[in-house]
């Protein structure tokens, strides 16, 4: 327990030094990938919000790319949805029972509420001209959810893992966009393209 408290305090100290020079995700040869220069104009709080958004979108995209492939691979071979969902993955959502949407909406609302409670300052404590203020000790993306115990305790290893997650998330965002575009162009599933 003492070790985890020491590690958390170390991470909290590093969170306060969040800058372009120390941000995870900057790798050689490109360094910090920011072709539009958003980070150059951003203060620490804004940079943390940008990173939080990038991590969130990357995590959703990683789930989406896996969902595309798995959804098409198990089509009509699963007990879920009675095997009634067929066709390319982009058509699957329209075929899902409306009860699923209620459960999914409730699950997303619960997850987002917990994320807001962990990372964001309560609205009553935020100046009106600084909406969406993150907590000073909050490390973007660190939601204290690690059921498999994969989060390293060493700060350097944690930094490397953050960079790997960012790189995988960036790749997944491009991959999901490519999957969507390809299926919209010809109406064929991704796995159908791979097998032909």
């Amino acid at each position: 327990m003492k070790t985890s408290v020491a590690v958390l305090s170390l991470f909290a100290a590093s969170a306060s030094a969040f800058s372009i020079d120390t941000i995870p995700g900057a790798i050689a040869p490109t360094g910090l990938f920011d072709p539009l220069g958003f980070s150059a104009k951003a203060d620490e709080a804004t940079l943390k919000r940008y990173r939080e958004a990038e991590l969130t979108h990357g995590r959703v995209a990683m789930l989406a790319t896996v969902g595309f492939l798995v959804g098409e691979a198990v089509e009509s071979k699963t007990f879920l949805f009675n095997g009634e969902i067929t066709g390319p993955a982009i058509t699957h959502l329209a075929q899902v029972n409306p009860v699923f949407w209620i459960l999914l909406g409730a699950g997303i609302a619960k997850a987002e509420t917990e994320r807001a409670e962990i990372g964001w300052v309560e609205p009553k404590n935020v100046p009106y001209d600084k909406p969406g203020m993150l907590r000073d000790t909050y490390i973007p993306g660190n939601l204290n959810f690690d059921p498999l115990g994969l989060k390293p305790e060493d700060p350097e290893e944690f930094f490397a893992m953050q960079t790997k997650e960012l790189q995988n998330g960036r790749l997944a965002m491009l991959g999901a966009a490519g999957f969507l575009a390809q299926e919209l162009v010809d109406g064929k599933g991704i796995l159908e393209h791979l097998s032909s």
Side-chain angles (χ1 to χ4, degrees):
M1 184 67 176
K2 288 181 182 179
T3 305
S4 63
V5 171
V7 169
L8 286 175
S9 65
L10 190 75
F11 290 147
S14 68
S16 63
F18 204 81
S19 71
I20 295 172
D21 301 325
T22 61
I23 193 169
I27 59 171
T30 58
L32 180 64
F33 180 74
D34 185 16
L36 300 178
F38 289 126
S39 62
K41 303 168 194 156
D43 60 358
E44 181 181 339
T46 304
L47 194 59
K48 285 175 80 171
R49 282 198 312 272
Y50 287 166
R51 180 47 47 93
E52 179 69 24
E54 182 180 18
L55 280 165
T56 302
H57 287 93
R59 289 170 178 172
V60 170
M62 286 187 271
L63 288 172
T65 54
V66 170
F68 262 93
L69 299 174
V70 170
E72 290 180 8
V74 299
E75 177 181 289
S76 301
K77 299 175 190 142
T78 178
F79 67 91
L80 293 173
F81 311 115
N82 296 325
E84 298 170 354
I85 297 176
T86 60
I90 59 171
T91 65
H92 288 184
L93 293 178
Q95 299 175 51
V96 174
N97 186 320
V99 173
F100 172 77
W101 293 112
I102 294 168
L103 296 173
L104 181 65
I108 291 171
K110 174 79 170 134
E112 287 298 310
T113 300
E114 286 186 23
R115 185 168 80 105
E117 289 172 352
I118 292 169
W120 278 261
V121 176
E122 295 78 10
K124 66 182 178 184
N125 299 328
V126 176
Y128 75 93
D129 61 339
K130 295 184 180 182
M133 183 183 286
L134 292 172
R135 297 182 191 280
D136 290 334
T137 58
Y138 178 65
I139 299 170
N142 187 6
L143 303 176
N144 301 322
F145 179 76
D146 188 17
L148 300 177
L150 298 175
K151 181 179 173 185
E153 293 187 13
D154 179 53
E156 289 179 17
E157 289 178 21
F158 182 61
F159 187 88
M161 184 171 272
Q162 285 178 305
T163 299
K164 289 174 186 176
E165 181 184 16
L166 284 162
Q167 296 301 324
N168 285 312
R170 291 168 182 165
L171 180 61
M173 287 186 266
L174 292 171
F179 286 178
L180 287 165
Q182 183 61 50
E183 289 192 1
L184 285 171
V185 166
D186 61 10
K188 293 181 182 177
I190 298 302
L191 295 180
E192 188 177 349
H193 278 284
L194 292 175
S195 64
S196 60

